């Protein structure tokens, strides 16, 4: 049986980027979201970077959010022709 440390490392090394595919119905309720964010605020912060900042994007706002992600990626890449390719990811 692998150690907890090895399991964590294996998990990190096998991580896949899902882009927007994980953002599907049903979204958490307000109460579930409060619980999720409350737990996230308690995560270890050894570099003392608090306060945490969370952005909540509700399903009705997904398309606008995806447009902004694609625009930000395109600006970062410095190539305006990449917008459509970036937008397809979401």
């Amino acid at each position: 049986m692998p150690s907890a440390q090895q399991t964590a490392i294996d998990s990190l090394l096998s991580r896949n980027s899902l882009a927007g595919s994980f953002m599907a119905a049903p979204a958490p309720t307000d109460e579930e979201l409060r619980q999720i964010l409350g737990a996230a605020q308690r995560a270890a912060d050894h570099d003392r970077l608090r306060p945490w900042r969370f952005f909540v994007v509700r399903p009705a706002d997904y398309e606008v959010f995806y447009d902004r992600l694609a625009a930000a990626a395109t600006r970062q890449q410095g190539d305006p022709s990449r917008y459509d390719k970036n937008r397809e990811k979401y």
Side-chain angles (χ1 to χ4, degrees), residues 8 10 17 24 26 29 36 39-40 43 50 65 69 74 80:
D10 290 342
S17 178
T29 65
I36 291 166
R50 292 181 191 186
F65 180 64
L69 284 176
T74 302

Side-chain angles (χ1 to χ4, degrees), residues 22-23 28 33 36-37 40 51-58 61-62 65 68-69:
F22 67 92
M23 294 177 65
L33 191 56
I36 291 166
L37 295 177
W52 297 104
R53 293 185 186 113
F54 300 100
F55 296 92
V56 177
V57 180
R58 291 297 190 181
D61 301 316
Y62 283 177
F65 180 64
R68 290 181 180 177
L69 284 176

Side-chain angles (χ1 to χ4, degrees), residues 6-82:
Q6 188 59 49
T7 301
I9 290 171
D10 290 342
S11 179
L12 290 170
L13 293 175
S14 65
R15 181 180 114 26
N16 291 332
S17 178
L18 301 175
S21 63
F22 67 92
M23 294 177 65
T29 65
D30 288 342
E31 181 54 38
E32 291 169 330
L33 191 56
R34 272 192 287 281
Q35 185 177 16
I36 291 166
L37 295 177
Q41 286 178 310
R42 290 170 180 77
D45 183 15
H46 302 292
D47 288 332
R48 304 191 194 293
L49 301 175
R50 292 181 191 186
W52 297 104
R53 293 185 186 113
F54 300 100
F55 296 92
V56 177
V57 180
R58 291 297 190 181
D61 301 316
Y62 283 177
E63 291 306 314
V64 171
F65 180 64
Y66 297 153
D67 288 338
R68 290 181 180 177
L69 284 176
T74 302
R75 279 192 307 276
Q76 185 71 24
Q77 294 160 341
D79 181 0
S81 69
R82 298 232 356 128

